[in-house]
C-alpha cells in the first residue's frame, strides 16, 4: 500500500470517527432530554394521582353524609 493509499484510508477513518462522535453527541443530548421529560411526566403523574385521591376522598365523604 502506498503512502497516498494510507493517507486516503486515514482520512476516511477520521471522517467516520467524526461522524460517529457527532452521532454520539446527538444521542447523548436526546437521551438527556428524554430523561428530563420522564422526570417531568413522573412529577405530573404524582400530582394527578394526589388530586384523584383527594377527589375520591371528597366523593366518599359526600356519599357518607348523604347516607346519614
Amino acid at each position: 500500500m502506498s503512502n497516498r493509499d494510507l493517507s486516503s484510508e486515514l482520512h476516511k477513518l477520521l471522517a467516520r470517527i467524526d461522524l460517529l462522535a457527532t452521532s454520539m453527541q446527538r444521542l447523548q443530548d436526546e437521551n438527556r432530554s428524554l430523561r428530563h421529560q420522564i422526570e417531568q411526566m413522573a412529577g405530573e403523574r404524582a400530582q394527578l394521582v394526589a388530586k384523584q385521591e383527594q377527589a375520591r376522598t371528597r366523593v366518599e365523604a359526600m356519599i357518607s353524609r348523604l347516607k346519614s
Side-chain angles (χ1 to χ4, degrees), residues 29-47:
D29 293 343
E30 183 178 340
N31 191 17
R32 189 177 305 112
S33 174
L34 290 171
R35 288 181 189 274
H36 180 70
Q37 286 179 16
I38 288 171
E39 288 175 14
Q40 284 183 321
M41 289 179 159
E44 289 174 12
R45 183 183 184 281
Q47 289 175 349

Side-chain angles (χ1 to χ4, degrees), residues 12-61:
K12 287 179 186 177
L13 185 57
L14 289 173
R16 180 138 170 89
I17 290 171
D18 285 341
L19 180 62
L20 288 171
T22 300
S23 295
M24 187 179 85
Q25 183 63 48
R26 182 184 52 80
L27 290 171
Q28 285 175 333
D29 293 343
E30 183 178 340
N31 191 17
R32 189 177 305 112
S33 174
L34 290 171
R35 288 181 189 274
H36 180 70
Q37 286 179 16
I38 288 171
E39 288 175 14
Q40 284 183 321
M41 289 179 159
E44 289 174 12
R45 183 183 184 281
Q47 289 175 349
L48 290 172
V49 167
K51 285 181 180 181
Q52 181 183 22
E53 182 64 27
Q54 289 173 352
R56 184 162 47 96
T57 301
R58 286 194 307 258
V59 168
E60 287 174 353

